Amino acid sequence: MSHIDDEPCTLAADSFELLARLCLDGVLVIVDDGIVYACPAADTILSPAAPGSLLGRAPLSLVLPAHHARVRERWAQAAAGAFLAPEEIGLCGVDGRCFDAELSCGPFVWHGRPALQILVRDISERKAMLSQLHATESRFAAELEEMTRLHQLSSRLLATRDLSSALDEVLDAAITLLGADFGNIQLYNPQKNGLEIVVQRGFPQAFLDTFRLVRIDDDSACARALRSGEAVIVEDVLLDPPYAAFRAIAAQSGYRAVLSIPLRVPGGEVLGMLSAHFRAPHRASAHQLRVLELYGRQAVDLIDRLRTEQALRDADRRKDEFLATLAHELRNPLAPISNAMILLRPNGDHRRRADHLIGMVQRQVRHIVRLVDDLLEVSRITRGKIELRRTPAVLADILHAALETTRPLIEQAGHRLRADLPDEPLVLDADSVRLTQVFSNLLNNAAKYTPPGGDIALAARRVGPEVEVSVRDNGIGIPAAMLGRVFDIFVQGDRNGDGSNGGNGSNGGLGIGLTMARSLVELHAGRIEARSDGPGLGSEFVVRLPLLLHTPADAPAPDTASAPLSGRRLLVVDDNRDAADSLALLLSSSGAEVRVGYGGEEALAAIAGWAPDAAIIDLGMPGIDGCQLAGMLRADLRYRGMLLVALTGWGQRADRERSRACGFDAHLTKPAEIAALTACLAAGAPTARN
């Protein structure tokens, strides 16, 4: 490298130049405001096209004007003997390239003359890399924030049950992501073959009126996306020929760009559309479109889930309505049968036999009524949450009732039945109807899964503080793999007689019999177990229940022969003539004066000029129904103190609340227990209402 001075270099100067040549930074020596030495690296940084052209040049000519004052200040400090650390300064090379550099300087002696030594480091590449790194970090941070928002949105959507508010959240998130000015979400209506806006942001009414229903065959962005199943981007509505028909409404609404993405089930149907609108021409980035697609998937999952849940709720509601209607229809014929059985009790020589037969029919009617009630409690049955009506009950009576129920099936199959029951009275704190149901199910299973002419044994014995009841057969048996599952709901074994006995219900049934039995036994604090030595070797079901060790004194039986309603004036209203007439006869036999109306109109005619003490009214009648009749009676001052009893086949909580709101004092379901109805009617009129 050349320098200005013909004097030979000293050893110190030679050593300096050797070190300077090895330095990666540029080294300059300045004497009297001129560059007298520049190392090769300095030429590469400041004058790559003309090496050696730095010599004799004023150093400030290489500094951007904005930094002149600062550089003069630093050089003055160095000339005064200070060694200054690197500082960022803007430089401009001989070739005109401007860049950022770090300059450090200090005092120096160049061939015996005072000088400055300048160290130049080009940091433009480093700054570019740092800037790129910061940009990458910012992008990653932004993407992390987006993913966090997406995760938080997903968590909120999983918990929501309201479609509109959830779609509001999805739309707001999409608008924020895109920096859009407007947005809407539409759902596809297959009946109208078009898209309908369900949530929106920022649009005037004119826009909403125009796009109230977007048909699949028009040229709007969302309709095109609906047809193609792919995103449609309109960067500028003024330059998009298909959008020409909608430019006027776009101008009126204040947007120039549109982005519409279909909300589509993967590989399936389009559920709707997510659209964003911008005031100025706009094109979303590829990253924004990817994240927007994730938001769209969230919306699709939400819509699909909520629609599925709603469909399940609708199906459940229809099931409940069907069961309630079925229960109502079943209760109606049971009411006159129950009433007739009470009225048919004869006097004389045949009373004992008739009482036995009538008692049997009454027990079966009560059993059917409880089964009808079960129709309304299917979900509670499967969860083991059936309400028990506990009273002290003798086990032998329960088992005899179960045998009575299942005997026709046993006899029809030609089975031999052996019952081994203890002589001592074993008393349980139990719902006798429910336990009868348990043992009837077990006996039914034994009869159905035992080939004709088989043997069935029912046995009961006391084991400490418990009673053990077993039902054993020599039927088709239960495989070992099935023993642990026979009590699961809807699980049935092979019913073809070739080696298994699921026994859970009846042949061709739904498989809830044993599930029901286990639930009822456990509700009685008992246990039930299935046993079998294998296919073809029969099966045994063993039930253990706690005994009631301290039996309360028996309450005196009600005297049904007396006339507890003597002197009471009663009105019976029911469009079912058999039910009305049999109930009237039953109440008359208890000493009441009874009039009958086969509908609301006839009831009003029957009591004209006659003030009954109480009215027993069916709810579901044509013309004036029970609730309307109750309202009319409550509004008439002559009858405002009358006791009103709803007697109906509708027995759900909503039905009871409705009858109470109509003015009824009591709500009984058909067929009502006569003791309960008599007690209600004998209690007297309620306090007059305001």
Side-chain angles (χ1 to χ4, degrees), residues 257-483:
V258 184
L259 165 61
S260 292
I261 66 164
L263 305 177
R264 183 175 187 172
V265 176
E269 61 177 328
V270 174
L271 300 180
M273 197 68 54
L274 170 59
S275 298
H277 298 63
F278 305 83
R279 295 189 186 278
H282 179 84
R283 181 176 182 84
S285 68
H287 169 71
Q288 287 177 321
L289 291 176
R290 286 195 299 272
V291 178
L292 189 62
E293 184 178 349
L294 293 178
Y295 282 128
R297 291 178 186 174
Q298 294 289 329
V300 168
D301 291 344
L302 169 75
I303 295 166
D304 193 42
R305 175 174 64 82
L306 292 184
R307 285 183 170 177
T308 300
E309 290 177 356
Q310 185 60 49
L312 290 174
R313 286 193 294 269
D314 290 343
D316 192 56
R317 175 182 52 79
R318 288 192 295 270
K319 178 261 296 178
D320 288 343
E321 291 173 353
F322 165 76
L323 292 177
T325 302
L326 178 60
H328 174 264
E329 294 302 317
L330 288 172
R331 283 191 176 110
N332 274 332
L334 287 171
I337 294 173
S338 179
N339 296 338
M341 288 303 100
I342 297 173
L343 292 169
L344 285 175
R345 288 189 182 275
N347 294 316
D349 297 336
H350 300 290
R351 177 166 184 168
R352 178 175 296 179
R353 181 181 179 188
D355 280 350
H356 171 71
L357 295 175
I358 291 171
M360 179 180 68
V361 173
Q362 287 178 321
R363 284 191 297 274
Q364 296 309 310
V365 167
R366 284 197 297 271
H367 188 69
I368 294 173
V369 170
R370 294 299 294 272
L371 292 178
V372 168
D373 289 339
D374 285 346
L375 288 172
L376 307 177
E377 298 177 347
V378 172
S379 63
R380 296 181 64 203
I381 292 170
T382 60
R383 295 196 305 269
K385 293 186 177 180
I386 306 168
E387 180 183 353
L388 297 181
R389 303 171 190 174
R390 292 176 181 266
T391 58
V394 177
L395 176 64
D397 293 341
I398 293 172
L399 296 178
H400 282 303
L403 287 169
E404 182 180 277
T405 301
T406 57
R407 195 178 300 277
L409 180 61
I410 293 172
E411 292 176 350
Q412 182 181 359
H415 297 317
R416 292 173 293 276
L417 173 65
R418 185 177 77 255
D420 182 11
L421 306 182
D423 295 329
E424 63 172 317
L426 301 175
V427 181
L428 309 172
D429 179 26
D431 184 325
S432 58
V433 174
R434 293 299 191 180
L435 285 186
T436 298
Q437 198 173 353
V438 169
F439 296 117
S440 295
N441 281 339
L442 298 181
L443 289 166
N444 278 336
N445 272 4
K448 291 172 183 176
Y449 295 119
T450 298
D455 292 308
I456 298 173
L458 171 67
R461 65 191 182 102
R462 179 173 185 155
V463 181
E466 293 183 322
V467 63
E468 179 182 281
V469 181
S470 68
V471 177
R472 188 175 66 254
D473 63 65
N474 62 347
I476 61 177
I478 307 173
M482 282 290 297
L483 279 175

Side-chain angles (χ1 to χ4, degrees), residues 403-626:
L403 287 169
E404 182 180 277
T405 301
T406 57
R407 195 178 300 277
L409 180 61
I410 293 172
E411 292 176 350
Q412 182 181 359
H415 297 317
R416 292 173 293 276
L417 173 65
R418 185 177 77 255
D420 182 11
L421 306 182
D423 295 329
E424 63 172 317
L426 301 175
V427 181
L428 309 172
D429 179 26
D431 184 325
S432 58
V433 174
R434 293 299 191 180
L435 285 186
T436 298
Q437 198 173 353
V438 169
F439 296 117
S440 295
N441 281 339
L442 298 181
L443 289 166
N444 278 336
N445 272 4
K448 291 172 183 176
Y449 295 119
T450 298
D455 292 308
I456 298 173
L458 171 67
R461 65 191 182 102
R462 179 173 185 155
V463 181
E466 293 183 322
V467 63
E468 179 182 281
V469 181
S470 68
V471 177
R472 188 175 66 254
D473 63 65
N474 62 347
I476 61 177
I478 307 173
M482 282 290 297
L483 279 175
R485 299 180 54 222
V486 293
F487 295 106
D488 294 343
I489 193 166
F490 306 134
V491 172
Q492 290 179 293
D494 184 355
R495 296 183 295 272
N496 297 321
D498 57 359
S500 66
N501 178 6
N504 200 355
S506 59
N507 285 321
L510 294 176
I512 65 172
L514 289 180
T515 304
M516 181 83 163
R518 179 178 63 180
S519 297
L520 291 172
V521 168
E522 290 176 351
L523 284 173
H524 284 85
R527 307 179 305 283
I528 185 170
E529 177 187 2
R531 300 172 181 173
S532 177
D533 292 329
L537 299 176
S539 59
E540 181 181 18
F541 288 87
V542 179
V543 176
R544 293 180 179 85
L545 295 164
L547 286 166
L548 181 60
L549 301 179
H550 302 287
T551 308
D554 293 335
D559 182 6
T560 56
S562 64
L565 300 178
S566 179
R568 302 286 286 167
R569 290 180 293 182
L570 306 177
L571 173 67
V572 175
V573 186
D574 197 326
D575 62 313
N576 184 319
R577 289 177 174 263
D578 288 340
D581 292 342
S582 62
L583 180 58
L585 286 171
L586 187 58
L587 296 174
S588 297
S589 68
S590 295
E593 177 186 350
V594 184
R595 294 187 185 183
V596 177
Y598 302 117
E601 295 87 348
E602 291 190 29
L604 292 173
I607 63 172
W610 182 64
D613 298 302
I616 304 96
I617 304 173
D618 182 31
L619 294 184
M621 299 183 295
I624 299 175
D625 65 21

Side-chain angles (χ1 to χ4, degrees), residues 18-62:
L18 178 61
L19 291 173
R21 286 178 179 276
L22 297 175
C23 187
L24 297 178
D25 294 332
V27 180
L28 300 174
V29 177
I30 301 172
V31 176
D32 294 334
D33 203 25
I35 299 174
V36 297
Y37 175 82
C39 74
D43 276 334
T44 301
I45 295 171
L46 294 166
S47 183
S53 63
L54 292 174
L55 296 179
R57 186 179 293 273
L60 274 180
S61 66
L62 303 173

